[in-house]
Amino acid sequence: MALGSAGALVTATLVAGAVSAPAASAAGGPGPDREAKGAATAAARAAKAGIDWQDCPADWGLAKPIQCGWVSVPVDYAHPYGKQIKLAVDRIGNTGTKEERQGSLVYNPGGPGGSGMRFPNRVINKNPVWANVAKAYDFVGFDPRGVGHSAPISCVDPQEFVKAPKMDPVPDTEADKTAQRKLARAYADGCLERTGPAMLRQMTTPNTARDLDVIRAALGEKKLNYLGVSYGTYLGAVYGTLFPGHLRRMIVDSVVNPARENIWYQANLGQDIAFEGRWKDWEDWVAANDAAFHLGTTRAAVQDKWLQLRATAKKSPIGGVVGPAELISFFQNAPYYDSSWVPTATVFSKYVAGDTKALVDAAAPNPSNTAGNISAENGNAVYTAVECTDAKWPTSWHKWDRDNTRLNKDYPFMTWANAWMNLPCATWPVKQQNPVDVQTHKGLPQVLIVQSTRDAATPYEGAVELHQRFQGSRLITEKDAGSHGVTGLVNPCINQRVDAYLIDGKLDGADVTCGPHATPKP
């Protein structure tokens, strides 16, 4: 599953972020190595070069006064003078006075494979949650290595990637499993063929963290201010471990458990359990709003309608294109984000009332949307490349089969879809790394951690784990809520603390528990 990019996938959710490589640091970590020296070399070069800011290319969909530019980074930090790639960055200046300005706030939305380039739109759209912070900071986004405009990678032809209907992720027979294993192996081979071994080997979270430090230097910032959501929290955790003395302020929101043994196989299994819980929360809400949706007055009744829909789509794909795989890809938006509760229930309600068009429009791929399909395929390729290269995955099919068969009994909503999405990692064609040991090193500032208790994509335990590893950090818990990505929602208890931290550097003396944000209304 991908963290923070639901809907881009035709297969499953994305998980959230991976890491690897020796925990080396240009700033007080556990001992210099070639990558650390290479990162320092690249950062010094970037500081000298700066960024040549221009109006963004017309087809990037970023309106003035947002500006765009490029930052060069080495593909392989062990060879800083070797092949370079250009990373796309964008920014919008702070809305306050010169005196109010505190530098740049750099953002990563997750994935791995998500683009941060839309972050400055929060200023253009006058997003009230971010209005105070925007006075103090330039909002800076970037496409991580391999993503979007930054030397994009690919694993399969995009039009093939979105073709529908796909196989039902839940296998009925051993033959179904064999077919899915074949697809996963072919996908892994496609990543090698289309991306090339030199780039594929370097698609890791530690390298993206090094890239982030080069971007910091290119921006002319002595220290980084960073906001990471979902997989972006893992990127932040690795950055904080590798470059503790280069951080000024960092907020991590909806946290990937950074424990090495969790990255990434275990993280995905944990997601399956959490998704089931949040799916039930949504069904309870749909049942409570039966007057609007007419899908049943109990969770069991709503679940029964879901199973009927699934069975219908399995027997004969709806509109010829929406089978069980496409249904999961669409319906997983509800457990991901509360903002999807009403739209998902509305489409479901229309279908049950006899309108299949709304469901086909929402859940089927659009072959004519070639730009969107290229983006979806690229996001999935980066997700796979980073998670598979970051860490060692089980190579035994027996283990995958046993673990997912067992989980599927109690947590059927996402389990098999997520397993097939990640199975390319079992036959990954380049060397898999060891995740960074995320921990506090000298110079690490106080980090603010924000997490809801019922998050599906990044279960709550992840925030607790990072909180223990980053000394002096503060944890804000949003209780009885589960939307993925908390800091963008209206919840004054959280919003005011985010402002106080980013603007004044102030944190509470102890951890804080906030009530939930408002439940969606039909």
Side-chain angles (χ1 to χ4, degrees), residues 278-355:
R278 194 61 181 159
W279 173 249
K280 287 174 178 170
D281 291 350
W282 177 71
E283 289 183 321
D284 286 338
W285 174 85
V286 171
N289 289 285
D290 184 60
F293 302 119
H294 315 296
L295 291 166
T297 55
T298 63
R299 180 202 296 170
V302 178
Q303 176 70 1
D304 194 46
K305 290 261 192 332
W306 160 250
L307 294 175
Q308 286 173 33
L309 169 59
R310 212 185 172 292
T312 302
K314 184 179 176 75
K315 197 170 166 189
S316 177
I318 297 155
V321 281
V322 178
E326 290 71 34
L327 286 177
I328 291 171
S329 194
F330 170 64
F331 275 86
Q332 74 179 12
N333 288 304
Y336 243 111
Y337 306 113
D338 289 10
S339 58
S340 296
W341 279 20
V342 173
T344 307
T346 302
V347 167
F348 194 6
S349 176
K350 283 181 176 174
Y351 171 81
V352 169
D355 172 7

Side-chain angles (χ1 to χ4, degrees), residues 176-435:
D176 288 348
K177 293 177 183 176
T178 303
Q180 293 278 18
R181 289 174 67 191
K182 213 168 140 186
L183 288 172
R185 185 181 282 272
Y187 186 85
D189 292 346
C191 294
L192 184 67
E193 191 184 321
R194 292 175 71 96
T195 297
M199 182 69 171
L200 202 59
R201 275 196 288 268
Q202 304 299 330
M203 289 295 298
T204 66
T205 305
N207 277 341
T208 304
R210 294 175 187 116
D211 294 343
L212 189 54
D213 199 57
V214 177
I215 290 169
R216 170 201 60 76
L219 289 166
E221 304 284 1
K222 287 263 185 289
K223 297 199 173 187
L224 176 72
N225 303 294
Y226 177 75
L227 169 64
V229 182
S230 189
Y231 165 76
T233 66
Y234 187 56
L235 176 59
V238 171
Y239 184 89
T241 302
L242 299 186
F243 302 98
H246 294 188
L247 259 182
R248 179 174 176 261
R249 287 182 194 148
M250 178 161 80
I251 295 184
V252 286
D253 169 3
S254 304
V255 181
V256 174
N257 182 334
R260 294 171 100 165
E261 62 274 14
N262 190 58
I263 306 295
W264 282 110
Y265 180 73
Q266 212 52 49
N268 281 279
L269 298 180
Q271 264 190 338
D272 300 336
I273 296 168
F275 259 91
E276 198 71 32
R278 194 61 181 159
W279 173 249
K280 287 174 178 170
D281 291 350
W282 177 71
E283 289 183 321
D284 286 338
W285 174 85
V286 171
N289 289 285
D290 184 60
F293 302 119
H294 315 296
L295 291 166
T297 55
T298 63
R299 180 202 296 170
V302 178
Q303 176 70 1
D304 194 46
K305 290 261 192 332
W306 160 250
L307 294 175
Q308 286 173 33
L309 169 59
R310 212 185 172 292
T312 302
K314 184 179 176 75
K315 197 170 166 189
S316 177
I318 297 155
V321 281
V322 178
E326 290 71 34
L327 286 177
I328 291 171
S329 194
F330 170 64
F331 275 86
Q332 74 179 12
N333 288 304
Y336 243 111
Y337 306 113
D338 289 10
S339 58
S340 296
W341 279 20
V342 173
T344 307
T346 302
V347 167
F348 194 6
S349 176
K350 283 181 176 174
Y351 171 81
V352 169
D355 172 7
T356 58
K357 186 180 182 299
L359 180 61
V360 173
D361 288 349
N366 176 3
S368 65
N369 179 16
T370 49
N373 298 337
I374 287 167
S375 176
E377 190 279 322
N378 169 242
N380 198 76
V382 175
Y383 165 83
T384 309
V386 172
E387 294 218 353
C388 295
T389 311
D390 256 356
K392 293 176 172 64
W393 287 70
T395 55
S396 152
W397 166 246
H398 175 71
K399 179 169 174 58
W400 286 77
D401 193 19
R402 186 192 62 209
D403 289 350
N404 287 284
T405 299
R406 192 181 66 230
L407 271 182
N408 183 66
K409 281 185 186 135
D410 295 320
Y411 313 102
F413 179 69
M414 274 308 314
T415 296
W416 277 114
N418 206 10
W420 304 129
M421 185 176 173
N422 292 291
L423 190 60
C425 298
T427 60
W428 197 236
V430 299
K431 188 181 179 216
Q432 294 177 323
Q433 312 271 335
N434 295 310

Side-chain angles (χ1 to χ4, degrees), residues 106-119:
V106 183
Y107 172 71
N108 180 275
S115 166
M117 298 287 280
R118 298 187 67 74
F119 184 52

Side-chain angles (χ1 to χ4, degrees), residues 54-68 90-93 117-118 120-125:
Q54 306 279 346
D55 289 341
C56 300
D59 61 346
W60 288 16
L62 298 162
K64 289 185 197 177
I66 297 173
Q67 295 178 300
C68 291
D90 68 343
R91 72 163 182 192
I92 193 164
M117 298 287 280
R118 298 187 67 74
N121 281 339
R122 295 188 189 185
V123 180
I124 286 192
N125 299 336

